[in-house]
Amino acid sequence: EKGGYDYFMLKEIAEQPEALTNTLLGHLRDGRIVLDEQRISDDDLRDVTKVFVVACGTAYHAGLLSKYAIEHWTRLPVEVELASEFRYRDPVLDRSTLVVAISQSGETADTLEAVRHAKDQNARVLAICNTNGAQIPRESDAVLYTHAGPEIGVASTKCFLAQIVAAYLVGLALAQARGTKFTDEVTREFYEMEAAAAAVQDMLDSMEPVRELARHMADRDTVLFLGRHVGYPVALEGALKLKELAYIHAEGFAAGELKHGPIALIESGLPVFVVMPSPEGRAVLHSKMVSNIREIQARGAETIVIAETDDEAARAVADHFIPIPRISTLLQPLVSTIPLQVFAATVADERGYDVDKPRNLAKSVTVE
Ligand code: F6R
């Protein structure tokens, strides 16, 4: 049932193009985005004034990414919060607040309680979930299922990519309801997401150098991850994968924060992954990242740079270069995450750990 793979996680990493395609399937009808279950009227969607995205772990990272897309497309303020924090403070919610709860299992205790809290405060709740009929979608006003198929590996991979596009679909649905995006623009964004599946497949087909690098770095104690803009949540996700699977101390940082503390950690030989923005799409951020790479290299870091294939500036400064296909900025995480998943799984395997069942972790966290 592992389909020839040593671990379910490897199979699930390989299934990501399909997970994207299936999650998008049927959600564009006559130029309009449609959800799976919508017990919120179009008028109510149009009247939303604020969006909260609540989730835990990897799903939270998908939530962080959705902020860039939803704010850009709708001009609505979006706050992304860990469900365990959201539920215990006193968030300002009312009838015009849309709370988007992202959960693979649909049973995560903190996310479920966040949903209940939001409903008590009269907010509308939309669930993004991979499990049909789970508690979170049952208690929500609207649902969008990620059709990634069952995810057995404890570390979330294909559901992360599926959650990203699902949350983007919510952004497009909101934009459409509010009139901030026209049918042709929504249609274009949708087709671009569909086309990303092929880019993810190309990425998966070129992972041997990453596996080699991982085997060579498997004995390291600490690995850092830097990103900016949408590369920042990707850095957080890369660090989470490495710590949970390989039990290596790993941290993700916003590259702009380097000078505010993290640069003190840089020492000779420390591996640092850098997720580069597009030199064309995000030229200013790109040049800042090149300077960041130089700063950490000057302090002895061993840089592993994930950047567009023809990003010569990044290639020139990188100690190790991992090329990704050119793709629109908001979709870049779909490809830049792949090498980080593969790196973590390979290091874990090389260290002799069970990639599917990391120590101390459960697939579904139904207790706090
Ligand atoms: C990390 C991971 C966890 C989950 C988190 C939320 O690889 O799998 O961080 O993402 O426990 O779980 P769900 O999405 O089921 O609410």
Side-chain angles (χ1 to χ4, degrees):
E1 36 177 302
K2 288 178 196 151
Y5 292 93
D6 290 344
Y7 297 101
F8 282 107
M9 184 187 169
L10 302 183
K11 176 170 174 271
E12 288 157 8
I13 287 174
E15 285 169 348
Q16 292 183 108
E18 215 183 313
L20 291 180
T21 305
N22 292 341
T23 297
L24 291 168
L25 198 70
H27 287 296
L28 182 74
R29 265 179 241 153
D30 303 324
R32 294 197 69 79
I33 301 293
V34 286
L35 306 176
D36 287 314
E37 293 168 28
Q38 190 173 335
R39 297 173 286 261
I40 308 175
S41 72
D42 279 340
D43 286 349
D44 288 338
L45 262 196
R46 193 196 53 223
D47 294 340
V48 166
T49 56
K50 168 152 197 177
V51 179
F52 272 105
V53 183
V54 294
C56 305
T58 289
Y60 168 71
H61 298 154
L64 288 176
L65 286 168
S66 76
K67 177 182 168 87
Y68 296 88
I70 302 176
E71 288 190 340
H72 179 60
W73 290 333
T74 65
R75 310 312 300 147
L76 282 171
V78 178
E79 245 181 85
V80 188
E81 197 167 3
L82 293 166
S84 54
E85 290 297 319
F86 175 88
R87 59 178 288 209
Y88 288 115
R89 65 182 183 87
D90 194 8
V92 181
L93 303 165
D94 62 25
R95 202 73 190 134
S96 66
T97 313
L98 179 70
V99 174
V100 179
I102 308 180
S103 173
Q104 180 281 129
S105 61
E107 304 288 350
T108 299
D110 280 316
T111 312
L112 177 59
E113 288 306 325
V115 164
R116 289 179 174 156
H117 182 71
K119 294 214 71 176
D120 284 346
Q121 305 290 309
N122 262 324
R124 322 267 176 177
V125 178
L126 187 153
I128 292 175
C129 181
N130 197 52
T131 315
N132 238 298
Q135 200 60 28
I136 290 170
R138 277 218 299 272
E139 296 194 19
S140 299
D141 300 306
V143 186
L144 186 54
Y145 284 104
T146 46
H147 297 282
E151 195 178 60
I152 313 287
V154 163
S156 189
T157 51
K158 61 179 180 176
C159 285
F160 177 59
L161 264 65
Q163 284 161 352
I164 297 169
V165 295
Y168 285 11
L169 282 179
V170 171
L172 289 176
L174 277 171
Q176 199 148 43
R178 292 167 53 74
T180 52
K181 269 218 175 276
F182 298 116
T183 305
D184 57 330
E185 294 170 291
V186 168
T187 306
R188 201 177 56 234
E189 300 286 359
F190 185 90
Y191 286 142
E192 221 173 277
M193 285 197 271
E194 258 187 359
V200 171
Q201 186 61 56
D202 287 347
M203 207 55 213
L204 290 166
D205 293 339
S206 60
M207 284 298 96
E208 196 41 44
V210 174
R211 282 187 283 267
E212 214 170 284
L213 184 70
R215 288 188 284 263
H216 158 79
M217 289 190 158
D219 61 344
R220 303 305 175 90
D221 300 325
T222 299
V223 180
L224 302 185
F225 296 76
L226 298 181
R228 274 178 191 263
H229 194 259
V230 293
Y232 169 47
V234 171
L236 296 178
E237 176 63 7
L240 178 60
K241 288 284 98 86
L242 192 61
K243 66 182 92 156
E244 71 180 327
L245 291 166
Y247 322 147
I248 290 179
H249 172 231
E251 277 193 73
F253 297 107
E257 279 291 292
L258 261 181
K259 287 191 176 63
H260 302 284
I263 200 161
L265 289 170
I266 307 292
E267 56 186 15
S268 179
L270 180 75
V272 183
F273 276 88
V274 182
V275 186
M276 286 297 282
S278 166
E280 290 212 347
R282 286 282 181 286
V284 175
L285 292 187
H286 181 270
S287 66
K288 286 185 193 300
M289 277 301 248
V290 173
S291 321
N292 289 148
I293 295 174
R294 292 212 175 93
E295 282 159 2
I296 59 174
Q297 259 172 348
R299 289 159 181 84
E302 185 173 353
T303 57
I304 307 135
V305 179
I306 300 173
E308 286 181 2
T309 316
D310 55 1
D311 184 342
E312 296 309 328
R315 200 184 278 267
V317 291
D319 294 306
H320 308 277
F321 185 77
I322 302 174
I324 54 173
R326 168 163 303 174
I327 189 167
S328 78
T329 290
L330 288 171
L331 298 181
Q332 197 206 51
L334 301 176
V335 290
S336 55
T337 300
I338 308 286
L340 302 181
Q341 295 170 338
V342 170
F343 184 83
T346 311
V347 170
D349 186 43
E350 187 70 18
R351 289 182 159 216
Y353 304 147
D354 185 338
V355 174
D356 284 335
K357 289 197 192 64
R359 69 186 182 198
N360 309 337
L361 293 173
K363 184 65 184 161
S364 184
V365 186
T366 52
V367 290
E368 282 180 50

Coordinates of all heavy atoms in Angstrom, one line a residue, residues 40-93:
I40 N -23.3 30.0 4.1 CA -23.2 31.4 4.3 C -23.7 32.0 3.0 O -23.3 31.5 1.9 CB -21.7 31.9 4.5 CG1 -21.1 31.1 5.6 CG2 -21.7 33.3 4.7 CD1 -19.6 31.4 5.7
S41 N -24.6 33.0 3.0 CA -25.2 33.5 1.8 C -24.1 34.3 1.1 O -23.1 34.8 1.7 CB -26.4 34.3 2.1 OG -26.0 35.5 2.7
D42 N -24.3 34.5 -0.2 CA -23.4 35.4 -1.0 C -23.3 36.8 -0.4 O -22.3 37.5 -0.4 CB -23.8 35.5 -2.5 CG -23.3 34.2 -3.2 OD1 -22.4 33.6 -2.7 OD2 -23.9 33.9 -4.3
D43 N -24.5 37.3 0.0 CA -24.6 38.6 0.6 C -23.7 38.7 1.9 O -23.0 39.7 2.1 CB -26.0 39.0 1.0 CG -26.8 39.3 -0.2 OD1 -26.2 39.4 -1.3 OD2 -28.1 39.4 -0.1
D44 N -23.8 37.6 2.7 CA -23.0 37.6 3.9 C -21.5 37.6 3.6 O -20.7 38.2 4.2 CB -23.3 36.4 4.8 CG -24.7 36.7 5.5 OD1 -25.1 37.8 5.6 OD2 -25.3 35.7 5.8
L45 N -21.1 36.8 2.6 CA -19.7 36.8 2.1 C -19.3 38.2 1.7 O -18.2 38.6 2.0 CB -19.5 35.8 1.0 CG -19.1 34.4 1.2 CD1 -18.6 33.8 -0.1 CD2 -18.0 34.3 2.3
R46 N -20.2 38.8 1.0 CA -19.8 40.2 0.5 C -19.6 41.2 1.7 O -18.8 42.1 1.6 CB -20.9 40.7 -0.4 CG -20.6 41.9 -1.2 CD -21.8 42.6 -1.8 NE -22.8 42.9 -0.8 CZ -24.1 42.7 -0.9 NH1 -24.6 42.2 -2.0 NH2 -24.9 43.0 0.1
D47 N -20.4 40.9 2.7 CA -20.3 41.9 3.9 C -19.2 41.6 4.9 O -19.1 42.3 5.9 CB -21.7 41.9 4.6 CG -22.8 42.5 3.7 OD1 -22.4 43.2 2.7 OD2 -23.9 42.2 3.9
V48 N -18.4 40.6 4.6 CA -17.3 40.3 5.5 C -16.3 41.5 5.6 O -16.0 42.1 4.5 CB -16.5 39.1 5.0 CG1 -15.1 38.9 5.7 CG2 -17.3 37.8 5.2
T49 N -15.9 41.9 6.8 CA -15.0 43.1 6.9 C -13.7 42.7 7.5 O -12.7 43.5 7.5 CB -15.6 44.1 7.9 OG1 -15.9 43.4 9.2 CG2 -16.9 44.7 7.4
K50 N -13.6 41.4 8.0 CA -12.3 41.0 8.5 C -12.2 39.5 8.5 O -13.2 38.8 8.7 CB -12.2 41.5 10.0 CG -11.1 40.9 10.7 CD -10.6 41.8 11.8 CE -9.2 41.3 12.2 NZ -8.5 42.0 13.1
V51 N -11.0 39.0 8.2 CA -10.8 37.5 8.2 C -9.8 37.1 9.2 O -8.7 37.8 9.4 CB -10.3 37.1 6.8 CG1 -10.1 35.6 6.7 CG2 -11.3 37.6 5.7
F52 N -10.1 36.1 10.0 CA -9.2 35.5 10.9 C -8.9 34.1 10.3 O -9.8 33.4 10.0 CB -9.8 35.2 12.3 CG -9.6 36.4 13.2 CD1 -10.6 37.2 13.5 CD2 -8.3 36.6 13.8 CE1 -10.5 38.3 14.4 CE2 -8.2 37.7 14.7 CZ -9.3 38.5 15.0
V53 N -7.6 33.7 10.3 CA -7.3 32.3 9.9 C -6.7 31.6 11.1 O -5.8 32.2 11.7 CB -6.3 32.2 8.7 CG1 -6.1 30.8 8.3 CG2 -6.9 33.0 7.5
V54 N -7.3 30.5 11.6 CA -6.8 29.8 12.7 C -6.5 28.4 12.4 O -7.2 27.7 11.6 CB -7.9 29.9 13.9 CG1 -8.1 31.3 14.4 CG2 -9.2 29.2 13.5
A55 N -5.4 27.9 13.0 CA -4.9 26.6 12.7 C -3.7 26.3 13.6 O -3.3 27.1 14.4 CB -4.5 26.5 11.2
C56 N -3.2 25.0 13.5 CA -2.0 24.6 14.3 C -1.0 24.1 13.3 O -1.3 23.5 12.3 CB -2.4 23.5 15.3 SG -3.7 24.0 16.4
G57 N 0.3 24.2 13.7 CA 1.4 23.5 13.0 C 1.5 23.8 11.5 O 1.4 25.0 11.1
T58 N 1.6 22.8 10.7 CA 1.7 23.0 9.3 C 0.5 23.7 8.7 O 0.7 24.6 7.8 CB 1.9 21.6 8.6 OG1 3.2 21.1 9.0 CG2 1.8 21.6 7.1
A59 N -0.7 23.4 9.2 CA -1.9 24.1 8.7 C -1.8 25.6 9.0 O -2.3 26.4 8.2 CB -3.2 23.5 9.3
Y60 N -1.2 25.9 10.1 CA -1.0 27.3 10.4 C 0.0 28.0 9.4 O -0.2 29.1 9.0 CB -0.4 27.4 11.8 CG 0.1 28.8 12.2 CD1 -0.7 29.9 12.5 CD2 1.5 29.0 12.4 CE1 -0.2 31.1 12.8 CE2 2.0 30.2 12.7 CZ 1.2 31.3 13.0 OH 1.7 32.5 13.3
H61 N 1.0 27.3 9.0 CA 1.9 27.8 7.9 C 1.1 28.1 6.6 O 1.3 29.1 5.9 CB 3.1 26.9 7.7 CG 3.9 26.8 8.9 ND1 4.7 25.7 9.2 CD2 4.1 27.6 10.0 CE1 5.3 25.8 10.3 NE2 4.9 27.0 10.9
A62 N 0.2 27.1 6.3 CA -0.7 27.4 5.1 C -1.5 28.6 5.3 O -1.7 29.4 4.4 CB -1.6 26.2 4.8
G63 N -2.0 28.8 6.5 CA -2.7 30.0 6.9 C -1.9 31.3 6.7 O -2.4 32.3 6.1
L64 N -0.7 31.2 7.2 CA 0.2 32.4 7.0 C 0.3 32.8 5.5 O 0.3 33.9 5.2 CB 1.6 32.1 7.6 CG 1.7 32.1 9.1 CD1 3.1 31.7 9.5 CD2 1.3 33.4 9.8
L65 N 0.5 31.8 4.7 CA 0.6 32.0 3.3 C -0.7 32.7 2.7 O -0.6 33.5 1.8 CB 0.9 30.7 2.5 CG 2.4 30.3 2.7 CD1 2.5 28.8 2.2 CD2 3.3 31.2 2.0
S66 N -1.8 32.2 3.2 CA -3.1 32.7 2.6 C -3.3 34.2 2.9 O -3.9 34.9 2.1 CB -4.3 31.9 3.2 OG -4.5 32.3 4.5
K67 N -2.6 34.7 3.9 CA -2.8 36.1 4.2 C -2.2 37.0 3.0 O -2.9 38.0 2.6 CB -2.0 36.4 5.5 CG -2.0 37.9 5.9 CD -1.1 38.1 7.1 CE -0.8 39.6 7.4 NZ -1.9 40.3 8.2
Y68 N -1.1 36.5 2.4 CA -0.6 37.3 1.3 C -1.5 37.4 0.2 O -1.7 38.4 -0.5 CB 0.8 36.7 0.9 CG 1.9 36.7 1.9 CD1 2.0 35.7 2.8 CD2 2.7 37.8 2.0 CE1 3.0 35.7 3.8 CE2 3.7 37.9 3.0 CZ 3.8 36.8 3.9 OH 4.8 36.9 4.8
A69 N -2.2 36.2 -0.1 CA -3.1 36.2 -1.2 C -4.4 36.9 -0.9 O -4.9 37.7 -1.7 CB -3.4 34.7 -1.6
I70 N -5.0 36.6 0.2 CA -6.3 37.1 0.5 C -6.3 38.6 0.6 O -7.2 39.3 0.1 CB -7.0 36.4 1.7 CG1 -7.0 34.9 1.6 CG2 -8.4 37.0 2.0 CD1 -7.5 34.1 2.8
E71 N -5.3 39.2 1.3 CA -5.3 40.6 1.4 C -5.0 41.3 0.1 O -5.6 42.3 -0.2 CB -4.2 41.0 2.4 CG -4.6 40.7 3.9 CD -3.7 41.3 4.9 OE1 -2.5 41.6 4.6 OE2 -4.1 41.4 6.1
H72 N -4.2 40.7 -0.7 CA -3.9 41.2 -2.0 C -5.1 41.2 -2.9 O -5.4 42.2 -3.6 CB -2.7 40.4 -2.6 CG -2.3 40.8 -4.0 ND1 -1.8 42.0 -4.2 CD2 -2.3 40.1 -5.2 CE1 -1.5 42.1 -5.5 NE2 -1.8 41.0 -6.1
W73 N -5.9 40.1 -2.9 CA -7.0 40.0 -3.8 C -8.3 40.7 -3.3 O -9.1 41.1 -4.1 CB -7.3 38.5 -4.0 CG -6.3 37.8 -4.8 CD1 -5.5 38.3 -5.7 CD2 -6.0 36.4 -4.8 NE1 -4.7 37.3 -6.3 CE2 -5.0 36.1 -5.7 CE3 -6.6 35.3 -4.0 CZ2 -4.5 34.9 -5.9 CZ3 -6.0 34.0 -4.3 CH2 -5.0 33.8 -5.2
T74 N -8.4 40.8 -2.0 CA -9.7 41.3 -1.4 C -9.6 42.7 -0.8 O -10.6 43.3 -0.6 CB -10.3 40.4 -0.4 OG1 -9.4 40.4 0.7 CG2 -10.5 38.9 -0.9
R75 N -8.4 43.1 -0.4 CA -8.2 44.3 0.4 C -8.9 44.2 1.7 O -9.1 45.2 2.4 CB -8.6 45.6 -0.4 CG -8.1 45.7 -1.8 CD -6.6 45.5 -1.9 NE -5.8 46.4 -1.1 CZ -4.6 46.0 -0.6 NH1 -4.1 44.8 -0.7 NH2 -3.9 46.9 0.1
L76 N -9.1 43.0 2.2 CA -9.7 42.8 3.5 C -8.5 42.5 4.5 O -7.6 41.8 4.1 CB -10.6 41.6 3.6 CG -12.0 41.7 3.0 CD1 -12.6 40.3 3.0 CD2 -12.8 42.6 3.9
P77 N -8.6 43.0 5.7 CA -7.5 42.7 6.7 C -7.6 41.2 7.1 O -8.7 40.7 7.4 CB -7.8 43.6 7.9 CG -9.2 44.1 7.7 CD -9.6 44.0 6.3
V78 N -6.5 40.5 7.1 CA -6.5 39.1 7.5 C -5.5 38.9 8.6 O -4.4 39.4 8.6 CB -6.0 38.2 6.3 CG1 -5.9 36.8 6.7 CG2 -6.9 38.4 5.1
E79 N -6.0 38.3 9.7 CA -5.1 38.0 10.8 C -5.0 36.4 10.8 O -6.0 35.7 10.7 CB -5.7 38.5 12.1 CG -4.9 39.5 12.7 CD -5.5 40.0 14.0 OE1 -5.2 39.3 15.1 OE2 -6.2 41.0 14.0
V80 N -3.7 36.0 11.0 CA -3.5 34.5 11.1 C -3.0 34.2 12.5 O -2.1 34.8 13.0 CB -2.5 34.1 10.0 CG1 -2.4 32.6 10.0 CG2 -2.8 34.7 8.7
E81 N -3.7 33.3 13.1 CA -3.3 33.0 14.5 C -3.3 31.5 14.8 O -4.1 30.8 14.3 CB -4.3 33.8 15.4 CG -3.7 33.9 16.8 CD -4.5 34.9 17.6 OE1 -5.5 35.5 17.1 OE2 -4.1 35.1 18.8
L82 N -2.4 31.1 15.7 CA -2.4 29.8 16.2 C -3.7 29.6 17.0 O -4.1 30.4 17.8 CB -1.2 29.6 17.1 CG 0.1 29.6 16.4 CD1 1.3 29.7 17.4 CD2 0.4 28.4 15.6
A83 N -4.4 28.5 16.7 CA -5.7 28.2 17.3 C -5.6 28.3 18.9 O -6.5 28.7 19.5 CB -6.3 26.9 16.8
S84 N -4.5 27.8 19.4 CA -4.3 27.7 20.8 C -4.1 29.0 21.4 O -4.3 29.2 22.7 CB -3.1 26.8 21.1 OG -1.9 27.3 20.4
E85 N -3.7 30.0 20.7 CA -3.6 31.4 21.2 C -4.9 32.1 21.0 O -5.4 32.8 21.9 CB -2.5 32.2 20.5 CG -1.1 31.7 20.8 CD -0.8 31.9 22.3 OE1 -1.1 33.0 22.8 OE2 -0.2 31.0 22.9
F86 N -5.5 32.0 19.9 CA -6.8 32.6 19.5 C -7.8 32.4 20.5 O -8.5 33.3 21.0 CB -7.2 32.1 18.1 CG -8.5 32.6 17.6 CD1 -8.6 33.8 16.9 CD2 -9.7 31.8 17.8 CE1 -9.9 34.2 16.4 CE2 -10.9 32.3 17.3 CZ -11.0 33.5 16.6
R87 N -8.0 31.1 20.9 CA -9.1 30.7 21.7 C -9.0 31.2 23.2 O -10.0 31.3 23.9 CB -9.3 29.2 21.7 CG -8.1 28.4 22.2 CD -8.4 27.0 22.2 NE -9.3 26.6 23.3 CZ -9.3 25.4 23.9 NH1 -8.5 24.5 23.5 NH2 -10.2 25.1 24.8
Y88 N -7.8 31.5 23.6 CA -7.7 31.9 25.0 C -7.5 33.4 25.2 O -7.4 33.9 26.3 CB -6.5 31.2 25.7 CG -6.8 29.7 25.9 CD1 -6.1 28.7 25.2 CD2 -7.8 29.3 26.8 CE1 -6.4 27.4 25.5 CE2 -8.1 28.0 27.0 CZ -7.4 27.0 26.3 OH -7.8 25.7 26.5
R89 N -7.4 34.2 24.1 CA -7.4 35.6 24.3 C -8.8 36.1 24.1 O -9.7 35.2 24.1 CB -6.3 36.3 23.5 CG -6.5 36.2 22.0 CD -5.4 36.9 21.3 NE -5.7 36.8 19.9 CZ -6.4 37.8 19.2 NH1 -6.9 38.8 19.9 NH2 -6.6 37.6 17.9
D90 N -9.0 37.3 23.8 CA -10.4 37.7 23.6 C -10.5 38.4 22.3 O -10.6 39.6 22.2 CB -10.7 38.7 24.8 CG -12.2 39.0 24.9 OD1 -13.0 38.3 24.2 OD2 -12.6 39.9 25.7
P91 N -10.4 37.6 21.2 CA -10.4 38.2 19.9 C -11.7 39.0 19.6 O -12.7 38.6 20.0 CB -10.2 37.0 18.9 CG -10.7 35.9 19.7 CD -10.4 36.1 21.1
V92 N -11.5 40.1 18.8 CA -12.7 40.9 18.5 C -13.4 40.3 17.3 O -12.8 40.3 16.2 CB -12.3 42.4 18.2 CG1 -13.5 43.2 17.9 CG2 -11.5 42.9 19.4
L93 N -14.6 39.7 17.5 CA -15.3 39.0 16.4 C -16.7 39.5 16.4 O -17.3 39.8 17.5 CB -15.3 37.5 16.8 CG -14.0 36.8 16.9 CD1 -14.2 35.5 17.6 CD2 -13.3 36.6 15.6

